[in-house]
Amino acid sequence: MSTASTQLPEGRYGRSSDERADRKLRVAALVLGAALVALIGYFAYYYVGQNKISAEVIEFDHTKNTVQVHLEVHKDAGVGGYCTVRSQAENGAEVGRADFHFDGDATRIDKVVTLRTTSQGTTAELLGCHSD
């Protein structure tokens, strides 16, 4: 008669060391993923939270050496800042650029500003607004 083996079948009972290492890697990946999501959330909040001035061009009218731009500015009360406007000629060359400052307690400002140009501008483009 042969003697029966007393050894357990391999891989049938308990965890192997490879499975434990895989679990540790999975946990580390989840922790790093959560940290990355938190970092992206922080930067998104910082970018959106710090933008206290927004504006849009309502309409514009151009003459030979100027462009009249009607800006509507929304901002927090008491915050000062500026908006940058530019104009381009028909061929796409930039013919004028200027910063227009806004301050005071009003939260909505409607203002027509005049942008001087080096030649006739055919566009009025708002490049952005920033707080002081």
Side-chain angles (χ1 to χ4, degrees), residues 27 33 39 61-62 64-65 67 70 100 112 125-126:
V27 169
L39 186 65
D61 186 27
H62 56 87
K64 184 176 180 184
N65 289 325
V67 175
H70 180 187
F100 297 101
V112 176
E125 180 181 9
L126 178 66

Side-chain angles (χ1 to χ4, degrees), residues 17-85:
S17 62
D18 287 341
E19 289 174 345
R20 284 188 205 107
D22 287 346
R23 184 167 187 231
K24 287 180 183 178
L25 285 174
R26 235 182 273 129
V27 169
L30 285 173
V31 169
L32 288 175
L36 180 64
V37 168
L39 186 65
I40 290 172
Y42 171 76
F43 283 123
Y45 172 77
Y46 180 78
Y47 176 75
V48 173
Q50 297 302 318
N51 193 7
K52 294 179 170 59
I53 297 178
S54 65
E56 64 179 318
V57 174
I58 303 299
E59 63 180 348
F60 68 94
D61 186 27
H62 56 87
T63 60
K64 184 176 180 184
N65 289 325
T66 62
V67 175
Q68 299 255 329
V69 183
H70 180 187
L71 287 177
E72 182 177 306
V73 179
H74 296 275
K75 64 182 191 66
D76 293 341
V79 173
Y82 63 94
C83 292
T84 304
V85 179

Side-chain angles (χ1 to χ4, degrees), residues 102-122:
F102 301 98
D103 56 3
D105 290 331
T107 58
R108 181 177 173 273
I109 300 171
D110 260 343
K111 189 170 184 179
V112 176
V113 294
T114 302
L115 175 64
R116 292 187 197 153
T117 59
T118 56
S119 63
Q120 185 169 1
T122 57

